[in-house]
Amino acid sequence: MAEAERIIGTPDTPDAAGDGRERPGSEDTGARAGESGTAPTGPAAAGASGTGEPETAAGPAPRGRRRIAVLFAVALFAYALDLISKLIVVAKLEHHPPIEIIGDWLKFEAIRNAGAAFGFGEAFTVIFTVIAAAVIVVIARLARKLYSLPWAIALGLLLGGALGNLTDRIFRAPGVFEGAVVDFIAPKHFAVFNLADSAIVCGGILIVLLSFKGLDPDGTVHKD
């Protein structure tokens, strides 16, 4: 009997171990699974990056659109508005009586200011010029990782205002980097200022509000 079994052989069983042979059809099971187009599930679906976000054939899913164009558009608008207003003030209002807009509460009066915003620190004109240039450089560098629309508007206001006053510092009398800024908005019981100062203040207030809300320039929100 044992001799007959040796000659005929025994059939393969699914749980046979160590015989080094595979069951029929097991060789192409993986190939058929890949050809069926079924998306993987579970940990494999998280992608090779391990971030838990699906990846496309071209790489990870896009993070979003940078807001550099918005930043420079707002800056250009603020700068152009400030520059045009100063040209009109110098041509039509300088060396002329003030124009009353709302009685004594608001007047347009041309004043040359050698200090910072709102007339402060007239003895440090060169220092304020350097600070304005540094602010422009910092904003330009920050634009590379800017994904937040509110931050783009805020930084655009700062950039446009800084450029407006820096233009006066460079090109107006008494000399390069010592030029006096043209101010003309004169509220009652308050310092005289210009549109560049207004843009800088509005941009600064917006940045403070965004910081309190936890919104970063890259679009992420953090909780303290």
Side-chain angles (χ1 to χ4, degrees):
M1 186 67 178
E3 184 65 18
E5 289 178 354
R6 183 182 66 80
I7 296 174
I8 298 174
T10 57
D12 294 336
T13 57
D15 55 350
D19 58 356
R21 291 178 295 179
E22 298 180 352
R23 295 189 304 273
S26 63
E27 187 172 275
D28 58 340
T29 301
R32 288 198 305 270
E35 293 171 358
S36 63
T38 304
T41 59
S49 62
T51 59
E53 297 179 358
E55 293 185 1
T56 62
R63 180 180 181 181
R65 181 181 301 175
R66 285 191 290 184
R67 303 297 184 177
I68 299 177
V70 175
L71 186 154
F72 287 111
V74 173
L76 181 61
F77 177 77
Y79 176 71
L81 204 60
D82 177 70
L83 183 61
I84 294 172
S85 65
K86 289 175 179 176
L87 292 175
I88 295 173
V89 167
V90 171
K92 303 294 184 180
L93 189 57
E94 200 167 34
H95 309 302
H96 290 79
I99 299 176
E100 294 185 352
I101 305 300
I102 308 177
D104 291 337
W105 291 97
L106 179 63
K107 298 184 295 184
F108 285 169
E109 181 179 5
I111 293 178
R112 296 296 182 109
N113 170 26
F118 306 109
F120 299 114
E122 295 186 3
F124 304 98
T125 306
V126 176
I127 296 177
F128 292 135
T129 304
V130 174
I131 292 175
V135 168
I136 294 171
V137 173
V138 171
I139 293 175
R141 291 177 61 86
L142 187 61
R144 295 181 298 177
K145 55 179 182 179
L146 183 63
Y147 289 87
S148 168
L149 180 60
W151 268 96
I153 296 173
L155 293 177
L157 291 172
L158 283 180
L159 181 59
L163 284 172
N165 285 338
L166 184 61
T167 301
D168 285 355
R169 303 288 188 196
I170 295 175
F171 295 105
R172 296 194 186 277
V176 178
F177 301 120
E178 296 181 353
V181 174
V182 175
D183 291 336
F184 62 93
I185 304 174
K188 188 176 182 179
H189 305 308
F190 197 73
V192 184
F193 59 95
N194 56 39
L195 294 182
D197 297 333
S198 301
I200 292 172
V201 171
C202 291
I205 293 174
L206 183 54
I207 287 176
V208 171
L209 294 177
L210 294 174
S211 300
F212 272 118
K213 293 182 64 176
L215 180 62
D216 293 331
D218 61 0
T220 59
V221 179
H222 66 271
K223 299 292 184 181
D224 293 335

